[in-house]
Each structure stands twice: as structure tokens, then as C-alpha cells.
Amino acid sequence: MEYSIRELSNLSGVSTRTLRWYDEIGLLKPCRVAESGYRYYGAAEVDRLQDILYYRALGVGLARIRECLDAPSFDRLAALRSHLAALEAERERLNRLIRSVQSTIGAMERSEIMQDESKFAAFKQQAVDWNERTHGAELRAAYGDAEMDAANAAVQRLTLEQYREWTDLGREIQRRLEAAVQAGLAPDGEEGREIAALHRRWLTVCGNAYDPRRHKGLADLYTADARFLAYYDREVPGCARFLRDAVWAWVQ
């Protein structure tokens, strides 16, 4: 069965303008284009669009999606299983947030004072889960289960002030990375030095001992692992590479 671009738009909820853009960038080409110029899509294109939407729901950038789908080693069943695991983890994260909001509402309705630590417990657990899901396998393989478990526990022990500093630092690093890449700055320049220093502070705000060798090893993962690339390059491609190069340039 074939669908016209408008039929596929109605079926998928993706606008015709977006479908045309996907065609232009080589992400989703129609199976054929009629003499009239109308695009038509078959079963393979419908499946590919479904895959694109799954990746987009997980926050993966369009360029990275195209790389994944076009890779000779792409395994759709394995990718779907990975999507399912990520979505189930997201569901659990949302359930924790729901329980946190419910607890806050209940405390307010009963005129109770909710401890600040309780208010942020769900967000700290969310950070631990993301860290485990994104970094866990590589870091456990490199440094062992005990060290990874200790790092997760350190996040859980963050005070309210430390938690705020940790999350603010993460946002500041990302903002400055994007600005540096867009401005064409060099990682071995002054801005790169400051970003590397911010990243060092972000790594140690939980109380973890600082190790330059491990700092560089983690920075290497930012360009070697697709999940890190998707995170740092989600808005501006090149941020993961800039951070890696800045760390290697300035960490001694």
C-alpha cells in the first residue's frame, strides 16, 4: 500500500512540511515521486518514519537518527527493544515525579511542612537513573561496580544547596558549550579552559575525589558513545567534541 504525503501526514500526525524537510535532508525519502511531483510512501517508509518518531521521542537529533537508521549494522528489532527499555525507564521516572507531586499536594492540604530533602528526592533519583542508563555500562566496565555505586550514592546524599549547584553547573556547561561552538572558539582557548574547570567542579560537587585520568577517560566517551553525543549535541552539533578537546587541552 502506498500513501500520498498528505495521507501519511494524517496517518502519522507529522506535518507535510516536516515530511518534505525529512526528504530534503535525506532522513525519509519517498519510495517514488510521480510526474506531477507528488511524493508517495510505501511500507518501508512507514516503518522508517515510525523509527524516526521513536528516536525523536527520546530526544535524539535528526542527524544522529539518520546515522543510526542508515548504518549497515542497524537492527530494527534491537532498536525497538532499546526504545522500549528507555520508555519504561521514562515511565518510572514520571511515576516518581507524580508521587512527589502527590506528596507535596497532600502535605499542603494537611497544612504540613514538607522537608526540603523530600521535595528533591525524586529529582535526585531521576539524575541517578539517567546517569546509570547513560553512563553506567561504560563506567562500570572501566572503574568497577563499587565505584559506580558510590557515585550514585553520592548524588543521593546531595544537600539541597549541592543539588542546586550541581544542576546549575550542568546547565551552565551546556549553555557555554553551545555558545563556544557557535562562535567558532578553540577548545584550547580561554573559554575552553573555563568550561573544563566548570566540568571538573561538576564532577566533584558530590564529594567525589578528583582524578585527572578519569576525567579525560570520561571526556573520551563523550565522542565515542552515541548516547553522550545525543545528549551534548542535542541542540548544537560539536558540543561533545569541544568538551572532550577542552578537557584534554587543560586537564593535567
Side-chain angles (χ1 to χ4, degrees):
M1 181 176 181
E2 286 186 346
Y3 297 93
S4 68
I5 191 170
R6 185 165 299 279
E7 289 171 336
L8 183 59
S9 174
N10 292 334
L11 177 69
S12 65
V14 178
S15 70
T16 56
R17 180 178 180 181
T18 297
L19 291 173
R20 292 189 184 94
W21 172 242
Y22 287 174
D23 183 7
E24 289 181 23
I25 64 175
L27 180 60
L28 180 68
K29 307 291 291 186
C31 64
R32 68 182 181 91
V33 178
E35 292 183 3
S36 60
Y38 290 147
R39 297 169 172 85
Y40 289 91
Y41 301 83
E45 289 71 39
V46 171
D47 286 348
R48 186 175 172 99
L49 179 57
Q50 184 184 33
D51 292 335
I52 292 168
L53 295 179
Y54 283 141
Y55 276 115
R56 290 297 288 157
L58 296 172
V60 181
L62 296 180
R64 180 58 188 162
I65 294 174
R66 185 175 59 194
E67 289 178 11
C68 291
L69 297 182
D70 290 344
S73 60
F74 177 70
D75 183 332
R76 189 166 191 250
L77 180 57
L80 288 171
R81 286 173 173 156
S82 177
H83 294 328
L84 179 60
L87 291 170
E88 287 174 339
E90 178 69 5
R91 179 178 61 190
E92 179 56 31
R93 182 187 72 83
L94 291 174
N95 285 339
R96 282 195 299 272
L97 290 177
I98 289 170
R99 290 193 293 269
S100 179
V101 173
Q102 288 173 334
S103 296
T104 303
I105 292 172
M108 293 179 68
E109 289 176 341
R110 296 187 297 271
S111 299
E112 296 176 353
I113 298 176
M114 190 175 185
Q115 297 295 318
D116 286 340
E117 289 75 12
S118 298
K119 294 177 183 178
F120 289 92
F123 293 101
K124 289 192 288 188
Q125 183 61 50
Q126 174 186 342
V128 168
D129 290 345
W130 181 89
N131 187 52
E132 188 69 53
R133 186 169 62 251
T134 307
H135 308 178
E138 291 78 10
L139 296 184
R140 287 182 184 278
Y143 306 119
D145 290 338
E147 187 149 343
M148 187 66 183
D149 291 341
N152 289 338
V155 174
Q156 294 284 23
R157 291 194 301 270
L158 284 172
T159 65
L160 177 58
E161 292 74 18
Q162 288 172 323
Y163 175 78
R164 286 173 173 165
E165 181 183 5
W166 190 56
T167 54
D168 288 346
L169 278 170
R171 286 192 289 267
E172 177 69 4
I173 290 167
Q174 186 67 34
R175 183 189 67 78
R176 293 181 67 164
L177 282 171
E178 292 175 0
V181 171
Q182 290 175 324
L185 301 182
D188 59 357
E190 179 60 22
E191 183 64 7
R193 184 189 67 79
E194 293 185 7
I195 290 173
L198 284 173
H199 193 253
R200 171 176 176 167
R201 175 57 186 162
W202 179 79
L203 289 173
T204 57
V205 74
C206 300
N208 299 322
Y210 180 70
D211 183 333
R213 180 181 61 85
R214 292 177 182 176
H215 192 178
K216 290 181 177 179
L218 179 60
D220 281 340
L221 286 176
Y222 291 165
T223 55
D225 188 281
R227 290 163 297 180
F228 286 100
L229 275 171
Y231 176 77
Y232 282 106
D233 291 5
R234 60 188 181 273
E235 297 294 337
V236 179
C239 289
R241 183 176 298 277
F242 187 99
L243 180 53
R244 183 204 63 184
D245 291 348
V247 169
W248 272 91
W250 293 104
V251 170
Q252 302 301 324

